[in-house]
């Protein structure tokens, strides 16, 4: 029986590379550059217009790395930009053949794919042209298994990079090519099944998020389901229960003004809340920092416990939370307080509802700075059920979102476990630790 199936549990030998561990005794291991030609990418000079005219050569850049982020996507065919033959001829860029395996080494580190056609790449990628000793599909799986190596080798605080001398030391297991093919076919089959399960769970998670958003928005603008039977149309909110009224923010919401001195000693150890600490659409505070840790912030506002903190910058307009205690918030947020009869808790959920989020996005696009400014916020309209009904709505939202979040948490945890299993399966297969024959039989 072939050693590739490992049904007889062949002897193993240790390899001096952390990610590999050990391999079957009849396998080889080698520096990757010795079994596949190592190529780096390059960018022809942008200052020479002729290099960027009459472009016909696909040129893979960081603008295309999103394709590599999809674990199941093996081949890449399309590029956002082309380069000319003249540009390639007058630079260190090279046209590499279809089948070349690419790896992102800068910024988005560790994503890999196989060229589906001849193309060139930028210097943000390293490339291996496979010969007769290693198959592109097997190498693609090996590079996926090397994630621990990338974590160990990447450097840089702003844009992390794996440098070429380290790339040149990459080592991979090299079984016979028929074994490589068998491993690749096995992993194609198994990862496709896992990816299908992940896609199903992700679809469920998205349906739960949509249900959550819809439930919040409907409760905020229509009340607890079944409570109202008559509604009136409203130019801003669509429709409202006939018993409700609506008012502008300027009359019912107080916006704190006056920044505190970010260098003042009395604020140094206070908790700071910024948009990046908040989970979008959920009001959940995921993390905090102290004012000292965020010294680069240009300004900070004092917030009382219970104040509503709303992100005013365009990319984060669905982020709002309640201050859990007296704290500071960044200048990218509005510290808000409801004025009676408006409660802070109802205000918080209204800020996360679809009517207000749509309004905020549209209005932020009308100004040069990508944010919702104070004047526009003051003119926003908010529905005003009576205080007792506000409490009922907040309690209903809390119950509905708690149930949705519990199922969503389970689905997310399952997705993470599937991804971990996928990674471990690839690693075990390409290093010969998995008895493929026994695995198939058990499955």
């Amino acid at each position: 029986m072939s050693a590739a199936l490992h049904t007889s549990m062949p002897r193993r030998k240790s390899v001096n590379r952390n990610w590999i561990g050990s391999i079957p005794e009849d396998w080889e291991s080698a520096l990757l550059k010795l079994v596949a030609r190592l190529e780096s990418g390059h960018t022809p000079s942008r200052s020479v217009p002729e290099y960027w005219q009459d472009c016909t050569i696909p040129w893979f850049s960081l603008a295309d790395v999103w394709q590599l982020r999809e674990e199941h996507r093996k081949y890449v065919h399309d590029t956002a930009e082309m380069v000319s033959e003249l540009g390639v001829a007058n630079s260190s860029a090279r046209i590499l053949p279809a089948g070349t395996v690419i790896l992102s080494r800068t910024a988005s580190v560790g994503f890999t794919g196989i060229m589906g056609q001849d193309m060139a790449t930028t210097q943000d990628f390293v490339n291996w042209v496979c010969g007769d000793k290693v198959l592109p599909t097997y190498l693609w799986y090996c590079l996926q298994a090397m994630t621990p190596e990338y974590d160990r080798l990447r450097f840089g605080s702003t844009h992390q990079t794996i440098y070429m001398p380290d790339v040149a030391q990459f080592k991979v297991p090299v079984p016979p090519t028929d074994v490589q093919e068998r491993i690749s076919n096995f992993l194609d089959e198994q990862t496709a099944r896992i990816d299908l399960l992940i896609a199903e769970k992700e679809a469920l998670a998205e349906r739960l998020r949509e249900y959550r958003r819809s439930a919040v928005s409907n409760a905020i603008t229509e009340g607890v389901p079944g409570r109202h039977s008559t509604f009136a149309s409203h130019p801003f909110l669509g429709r409202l229960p006939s018993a409700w009224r609506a008012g502008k923010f300027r009359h019912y919401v107080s916006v704190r003004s006056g920044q505190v001195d970010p260098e003042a000693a009395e604020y140094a150890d206070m908790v700071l809340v910024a948009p990046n600490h908040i989970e979008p659409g959920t009001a959940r505070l995921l993390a905090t920092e102290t004012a000292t840790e965020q010294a680069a912030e240009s300004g900070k506002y004092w917030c009382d416990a219970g104040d509503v903190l709303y992100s005013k910058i365009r990319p984060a307009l669905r982020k709002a939370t309640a201050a859990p205690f007296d704290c500071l918030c960044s200048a990218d947020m509005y510290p808000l307080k409801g004025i009676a009869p408006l409660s802070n808790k109802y205000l918080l959920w209204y800020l996360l509802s679809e009517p207000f989020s749509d309004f905020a996005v549209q209005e932020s696009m009308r100004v040069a700075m990508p944010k919702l400014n104070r004047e526009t916020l003051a003119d926003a309209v908010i529905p005003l059920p009576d205080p007792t009904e506000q409490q009922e709505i907040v309690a209903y939202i809390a119950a509905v979102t708690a149930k949705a979040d519990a199922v969503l948490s389970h689905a997310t945890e399952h997705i993470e476990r599937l991804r971990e299993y996928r990674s471990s399966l690839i690693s075990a297969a390409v290093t010969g630790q998995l008895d493929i024959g026994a695995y198939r039989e058990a499955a």
Side-chain angles (χ1 to χ4, degrees):
M1 183 172 288
S2 169
L5 301 181
H6 308 313
T7 53
S8 59
M9 296 302 291
R11 295 174 61 186
R12 304 181 65 79
K13 59 185 178 183
S14 178
V15 177
N16 188 25
R17 281 294 184 273
N18 291 336
W19 84 270
I20 299 176
S22 62
I23 58 174
E25 199 170 55
D26 57 343
W27 286 22
E28 298 296 330
S29 65
L31 289 174
L32 179 51
K33 67 180 180 180
L34 300 181
V35 293
R37 191 174 83 243
L38 175 60
E39 296 276 0
S40 179
H42 192 72
T43 301
S45 175
R46 294 283 189 180
S47 64
V48 182
E50 292 78 11
Y51 294 172
W52 300 96
Q53 296 171 357
D54 301 320
C55 298
T56 57
I57 301 167
W59 187 61
F60 205 86
S61 68
L62 286 179
D64 306 302
V65 78
W66 63 268
Q67 299 178 64
L68 306 183
R69 291 179 183 272
E70 300 178 20
E71 294 175 329
H72 61 275
R73 184 191 288 258
K74 184 184 297 182
Y75 292 94
V76 293
H77 299 272
D78 303 317
T79 60
E81 198 169 3
M82 299 275 194
V83 67
S84 69
E85 292 185 8
L86 185 63
V88 171
N90 288 276
S91 72
S92 298
R94 294 169 65 89
I95 303 174
L96 303 174
T100 297
V101 183
I102 64 178
L103 176 77
S104 57
R105 71 180 186 94
T106 301
S108 299
V109 176
F111 296 102
T112 184
I114 304 174
M115 292 182 181
Q117 62 173 323
D118 296 356
M119 60 177 67
T121 75
T122 69
Q123 60 274 20
D124 301 301
F125 299 87
V126 284
N127 315 289
W128 290 273
V129 181
C130 298
D132 56 2
K133 293 184 178 180
V134 63
L135 301 180
T137 51
Y138 173 77
L139 177 56
W140 180 66
Y141 280 119
C142 278
L143 292 174
Q144 289 188 51
M146 286 180 63
T147 298
E149 285 291 280
Y150 310 143
D151 293 340
R152 183 175 67 86
L153 295 173
R154 68 179 80 198
F155 290 95
S157 55
T158 304
H159 295 292
Q160 294 193 323
T161 299
I162 298 178
Y163 293 103
M164 289 304 293
D166 290 321
V167 171
Q169 296 303 309
F170 282 4
K171 198 171 188 178
V172 295
V174 188
T177 53
D178 65 319
V179 177
Q180 294 180 35
E181 184 175 14
R182 200 167 306 153
I183 290 171
S184 298
N185 291 340
F186 167 79
L187 288 175
D188 284 348
E189 173 189 315
Q190 297 302 319
T191 57
R193 295 173 62 184
I194 297 169
D195 291 339
L196 180 60
L197 289 172
I198 290 173
E200 290 174 352
K201 291 294 181 182
E202 287 178 333
L204 170 62
E206 185 52 39
R207 289 197 299 272
L208 286 166
R209 293 186 189 99
E210 178 55 37
Y211 166 73
R212 197 182 192 283
R213 288 193 293 267
S214 177
V216 169
S217 297
N218 290 341
I220 284 292
T221 57
E222 298 180 9
V224 174
R227 196 181 196 283
H228 296 279
S229 58
T230 60
F231 295 84
S233 62
H234 190 280
F236 183 89
L237 299 165
R239 70 172 194 165
L240 288 177
S242 300
W244 289 14
R245 57 196 175 93
K248 289 193 173 183
F249 267 55
R250 68 174 71 254
H251 302 304
Y252 296 99
V253 180
S254 170
V255 184
R256 188 181 292 274
S257 61
Q259 298 179 358
V260 302
D261 179 4
E263 303 296 330
E266 63 263 36
Y267 302 120
D269 294 325
M270 286 196 69
V271 166
L272 172 78
V273 178
N276 60 299
H277 299 146
I278 304 170
E279 184 176 16
T282 69
R284 190 174 296 122
L285 190 60
L286 301 177
T288 58
E289 296 174 274
T290 66
T292 300
E293 291 170 326
Q294 279 287 335
E297 289 279 350
S298 59
K300 305 177 179 73
Y301 293 93
W302 175 274
C303 310
D304 292 328
D307 280 0
V308 178
L309 311 181
Y310 177 72
S311 172
K312 61 187 178 183
I313 55 176
R314 189 183 301 160
L317 285 171
R318 283 184 53 81
K319 291 188 175 185
T321 193
F325 34 69
D326 292 353
C327 63
L328 302 178
C329 75
S330 77
D332 290 329
M333 308 196 77
Y334 286 126
L336 308 174
K337 195 186 300 287
I339 301 172
L342 178 64
S343 78
N344 277 356
K345 292 181 178 179
Y346 179 82
L347 169 62
L348 170 61
W349 286 111
Y350 178 65
L351 292 171
L352 293 173
S353 69
E354 292 299 323
F356 184 81
S357 294
D358 292 344
F359 162 79
V361 171
Q362 292 172 9
E363 292 301 321
S364 71
M365 296 174 70
R366 300 178 190 272
V367 294
M369 293 293 290
K371 68 177 184 179
L372 184 67
N373 62 40
R374 281 177 179 258
E375 294 75 17
T376 305
L377 178 66
D379 285 332
V381 177
I382 185 168
L384 293 164
D386 65 51
T388 299
E389 189 171 357
Q390 289 182 41
Q391 293 178 5
E392 293 174 358
I393 291 170
V394 169
Y396 169 78
I397 289 175
V400 168
T401 56
K403 290 180 181 178
D405 288 346
V407 182
L408 182 58
S409 176
H410 179 74
T412 303
E413 182 182 343
H414 197 180
I415 291 169
E416 186 58 33
R417 288 203 305 267
L418 284 168
R419 287 189 170 135
E420 289 175 357
Y421 175 63
R422 187 186 194 278
S423 297
S424 64
L425 187 69
I426 292 171
S427 180
V430 300
T431 58
Q433 297 176 31
L434 179 67
D435 184 337
I436 294 177
Y439 181 94
R440 287 186 183 279
E441 188 174 331

